[in-house]
Amino acid sequence: MPDPYTGPHADTAALILIDVQRDFFEEDAPARIEGTSEAIPAMAELASAFRAKGLPIVHVVRLYLPDGSNADMVRRHAIENGARVVRPGSPGAQVAPELLPAKAELDDEILLKGGFQAVGPREHIMYKPRWGAFYGTALEGHLRDAGADTLVFAGCNFPNCPRTSVYEASERDFRAVLVADAMSGVYDRGAAECRRIGVPVWNVAETVKWLEAV
């Protein structure tokens, strides 16, 4: 039997797709994360399953201003010295088109002001200024307003932004699921640590079956 406090609810779930931007997955990208491009088909399958159920989807992105003023401290020096990574308006900042319901480019003005860019029914893009998707953003309110109490995480580079976001979600009493084959960088110890804080680690097939049972 699922835990009554952490067991995920499929009918009130939202999909959180993190940092699946060209500069992080394309072959010649300046900040390529191994395994991300290979996981995109699994992410796309998840997105399609959530759309079919009419459940919320949030695409979370990074945007680094040319002067580095909004970048993480560890990356600020490189950005100040000309590194071009997810620069607003650049092709490299765009979300993988396979994950979107229709062709769409980031509206940098809306995003950098903390707004949510609608790209489909119950589907939005949002910007985060640091590793965690909840830090300095309106994500929690957006999800509460959508009636979501369970967050399904997929995307790019588990050790950094997805892992941080999973823990932030747990701190806010959201139920959470990590979809391991729809995320790059997942490693055994990290997955085990997620399980120990009540976050099940599933694959796409298990997650889609869970959704379809509702």
Side-chain angles (χ1 to χ4, degrees), residues 33-83:
I33 303 298
E34 291 291 334
T36 303
S37 60
E38 292 83 354
I40 287 176
M43 299 179 208
E45 184 177 353
L46 274 182
S48 294
F50 271 77
R51 283 187 205 110
K53 289 292 184 179
L55 294 169
I57 299 173
V58 180
H59 303 267
V60 183
V61 301
R62 304 301 298 269
L63 293 168
Y64 292 146
L65 297 172
D67 64 0
S69 59
N70 69 335
D72 314 87
M73 298 296 284
V74 72
R75 293 175 176 164
R76 190 166 297 179
H77 184 69
I79 301 295
E80 286 176 340
N81 284 273

Side-chain angles (χ1 to χ4, degrees), residues 142-167:
H142 176 83
L143 294 168
R144 301 291 187 199
D145 289 346
D149 71 354
T150 297
L151 308 184
V152 176
F153 287 92
C156 175
N157 204 20
F158 169 75
N160 292 354
C161 300
R163 180 186 172 99
T164 303
S165 301
V166 167
Y167 276 76

